[in-house]
Amino acid sequence: MTALWILAGYWDFILFGPYPKGPLGGLALTAAIALTSLSAAFPLALAVALARLFGPKAISRAATAYVYIARGVPLLVWIFWIYFLIPLLTKQPADAFVTLVVAIVIYQGAYLSEVLRAGIVALPKGQFEAARALGLRSGLVIRKIVLPQIVVQVMPGLINQMTLIIKESALGYVIALGELTFVMGQINLDLMNRPLSVFAMLAAIYFVICWLLSRLANVIVERARWVTAKTDISRQCPPSASQRLCRRRRPGLRPNFALCKSKG
Amino acid sequence: MGMPELDFSVVFAGDYRSMLMSGVGITLSLFGIALPLAFLLAVALATAAGFGGRTLRIAVDGFVAYHRNTPLLVQLFVWNFGLSQVLPRALNRVINASHPELVFSIVTLVCYAAAYMSQDLLSGLRAVPAGQTEAATALGLRRWQAVGLVVLPQAWRFALPPLIGQCVGLLKATSITAVIGVGEMTNQARQIESETFRVIEVFTVITAAYLLVTLPLMLVGTALERRLAASSGREAT
């Protein structure tokens, strides 16, 4: 009941923050942070994944070091690094939105590069050999052969990354960026005596968004599996060979032995 | 403009040194207390979901879904500001007599890590082919013997690499408690920074401190993962 009462009184503040009287905030800002961060993290992650796989040794090592260091330190520490380093170097206060987005890009770029790298590694080796045999240059191989395939393959991974970023954007609270968590914190201060209702509602809002996104990712995985099951020649191989292929190609999934055997 | 001169001696001397050390102590204590508790809870959750009835499975699914689909910071707020209001009065008196923010931090971290770990344990269990249990019972082993002697040792091998990843995640997660005033490493660093303006020095020190623990863990995790992939590839051929 309290939740409905809070919603009735504050729905526009939860959605947009103080906007239009002040800067955009609330859920809209959370969405803006997530979309900006993901779009900025993607090219970085792709560059890092390609550097690790195909780059010269020094660059590949540097990319690997980045991936490990970025993931080894809490996001909050990256936020503080940027938030306090910017004024030191530029003599101007750091913008909270820029700080949070840059920190998330550094942090999640490393995770996303692992997702993309796994997608590239999972491509059949013959594709690279065929491309090389045709004399395609590596830039062309990446653009015409690697990218179109992994974009479909890593789509669920990208959506999962989106939910991670939405959850991490709650740390905007720490640097007083008026995203969803900060806005609900203000509502909590405003109401004084309803903390459980306010924070339960905050959790519920995040839950609905992230749960729906992860459902979406699952639907895409199922779709993709259905499409590959129809076209996958490995299903038509004799059992032993097909078992081998099933295992090799999708290390994350359990091979469906029943299906393989019935076809053989 | 230009880079400011670095002076690490400020951070390592007198009061600031002891602030940093107490931060390291609290971070490691949070980690050291929450990790075993989270693991025990995860084993209980995975057992309930893997071997329990429908009701238990739904309850575990709900617990896991809540912790996976909401920000850790919000989970911390729900415990520290929300649920703390509705706990039995006697329990609250005990908690408030010590450090309530520490207690709620540990509770939040344990639930959060356990939710993720339980899923790793379950996928470890699922990775063991059903034929293993069937073969074991066909050889005359009881069901609990088949689980304990045949399934679990194999499931463990599959679950270990992601569990190590969760350890890294838990250590990083302890930093969130700074938001409700726990004096762990990141919080101390922020305070030292605000007093000394030694941004680079302070944050370099705590970045290195985190990496000192997380890097070896991540490297071990990757190595185990690689070995597992290699051995299951061999078995398949």
Side-chain angles (χ1 to χ4, degrees):
Chain A
M1 281 312 96
T2 328
L4 281 180
W5 178 65
I6 295 171
L7 263 187
Y10 291 96
W11 64 272
D12 52 342
F13 192 60
I14 294 172
L15 282 180
F16 305 113
Y19 187 84
K21 283 179 208 142
L24 186 68
L27 196 54
L29 186 60
T30 294
I33 295 165
L35 288 172
T36 317
S37 309
L38 191 62
S39 343
F42 187 80
L44 170 72
L46 186 63
V48 170
L50 292 174
R52 280 189 77 181
L53 286 169
F54 307 114
K57 205 161 208 178
I59 293 180
S60 166
R61 284 217 178 121
T64 307
Y66 156 70
V67 169
Y68 276 88
I69 291 172
R71 293 185 308 165
V73 180
L75 177 59
L76 187 60
V77 173
W78 290 127
I79 291 174
F80 282 155
W81 258 117
I82 296 160
Y83 198 61
F84 294 119
L85 199 57
I86 288 178
L88 192 72
L89 297 180
T90 65
K91 305 281 177 249
Q92 271 165 23
D95 180 74
F97 180 81
V98 173
T99 300
L100 186 61
V101 167
V102 171
I104 291 178
V105 168
I106 291 175
Y107 188 70
Q108 282 297 337
Y111 284 96
L112 190 54
S113 83
E114 290 290 90
V115 174
L116 297 179
R117 196 169 69 104
I120 298 170
V121 169
L123 290 177
K125 239 186 171 176
Q127 300 220 352
F128 296 99
E129 286 158 10
R132 206 173 303 143
L134 287 170
L136 296 183
R137 268 179 298 134
S138 54
L140 211 57
V141 176
I142 288 163
R143 256 188 309 131
K144 296 283 179 189
I145 296 174
V146 174
L147 269 184
Q149 296 189 78
I150 65 160
V151 162
V152 178
Q153 204 170 5
V154 303
M155 205 60 199
L158 269 182
I159 297 174
N160 283 336
Q161 219 68 29
M162 183 82 173
T163 65
L164 290 177
I165 292 176
I166 288 172
K167 287 187 285 171
E168 274 152 5
S169 70
L171 283 180
Y173 177 92
V174 181
I175 48 174
L177 179 61
E179 43 67 62
L180 184 59
T181 302
F182 185 80
V183 157
M184 288 298 264
Q186 302 239 292
I187 294 175
N188 180 46
L189 291 179
D190 215 30
L191 292 171
M192 301 277 280
N193 57 354
R194 292 271 180 275
L196 183 57
S197 304
V198 170
F199 289 115
M201 200 164 109
L202 176 59
I205 296 173
Y206 278 111
F207 184 92
V208 169
I209 297 168
C210 295
W211 187 80
L212 284 177
L213 280 172
S214 65
R215 286 282 99 185
L216 180 65
N218 280 353
V219 168
I220 294 175
V221 170
E222 290 301 316
R223 229 355 114 72
R225 197 177 292 168
W226 184 71
V227 170
T228 45
K230 278 180 79 179
T231 53
D232 197 347
I233 47 159
S234 70
R235 301 283 190 212
Q236 290 147 27
C237 294
S240 62
S242 80
Q243 283 174 11
R244 209 156 55 213
L245 279 169
C246 291
R247 261 225 189 153
R248 281 267 174 79
R249 296 270 293 278
R250 301 188 204 86
L253 297 173
R254 284 193 55 209
N256 189 344
F257 290 113
L259 203 87
C260 293
K261 269 174 197 150
S262 67
K263 284 282 168 70
Chain B
M1 289 249 340
M3 281 299 272
E5 265 179 51
L6 297 184
D7 182 8
F8 280 90
S9 63
V10 180
V11 182
F12 283 126
D15 282 353
Y16 299 130
R17 180 198 163 92
S18 49
M19 278 169 81
L20 265 180
M21 289 323 282
S22 88
V24 171
I26 294 179
T27 292
L28 288 179
S29 317
L30 284 173
F31 181 63
I33 295 170
L35 184 63
L37 291 177
F39 184 73
L40 288 179
L41 181 58
V43 170
L45 289 171
T47 312
F51 305 101
R54 219 176 100 84
T55 328
L56 265 180
R57 208 161 43 222
I58 292 172
V60 172
D61 280 352
F63 181 86
V64 171
Y66 166 71
H67 288 94
R68 290 222 289 200
N69 290 301
T70 56
L72 176 60
L73 183 64
V74 173
Q75 292 163 24
L76 185 63
F77 284 174
V78 166
W79 273 109
N80 192 59
F81 301 126
L83 291 174
S84 59
Q85 307 285 313
V86 294
L87 287 178
R89 195 165 284 172
L91 185 59
N92 244 337
R93 203 171 302 139
V94 175
I95 292 172
N96 286 328
S98 58
H99 290 275
E101 77 280 1
L102 267 178
V103 175
F104 290 120
S105 292
I106 290 173
V107 171
T108 309
L109 289 171
V110 167
C111 292
Y112 168 82
Y116 281 90
M117 286 177 170
S118 71
Q119 295 306 292
D120 294 335
L121 291 174
L122 276 175
S123 29
L125 275 177
R126 292 198 192 106
V128 181
Q132 296 278 333
T133 328
E134 288 158 17
T137 42
L139 284 172
L141 267 67
R142 305 264 166 121
R143 194 173 141 72
W144 64 267
Q145 285 176 318
V147 170
L149 299 174
V150 178
V151 177
L152 284 186
Q154 295 185 69
W156 179 244
R157 282 199 327 167
F158 288 105
L160 197 55
L163 281 178
I164 290 174
Q166 302 303 347
C167 291
V168 175
L170 180 61
L171 182 72
K172 289 191 290 177
T174 59
S175 67
I176 298 280
T177 64
V179 182
I180 57 166
V182 173
E184 50 70 72
M185 208 157 70
T186 306
N187 200 355
Q188 302 287 3
R190 201 192 48 78
Q191 274 179 34
I192 297 171
E193 188 279 334
S194 70
E195 287 174 31
T196 62
F197 300 105
R198 293 279 165 195
V199 180
I200 299 175
E201 292 88 334
V202 178
F203 287 110
T204 301
V205 169
I206 66 157
T207 300
Y210 279 114
L211 289 174
L212 209 60
V213 182
T214 55
L215 274 185
L217 279 174
M218 287 193 286
L219 291 172
V220 168
T222 315
L224 281 176
E225 217 165 275
R226 233 174 246 158
R227 222 174 60 180
L228 192 65
S231 71
S232 63
R234 253 208 317 277
E235 278 162 21
T237 48

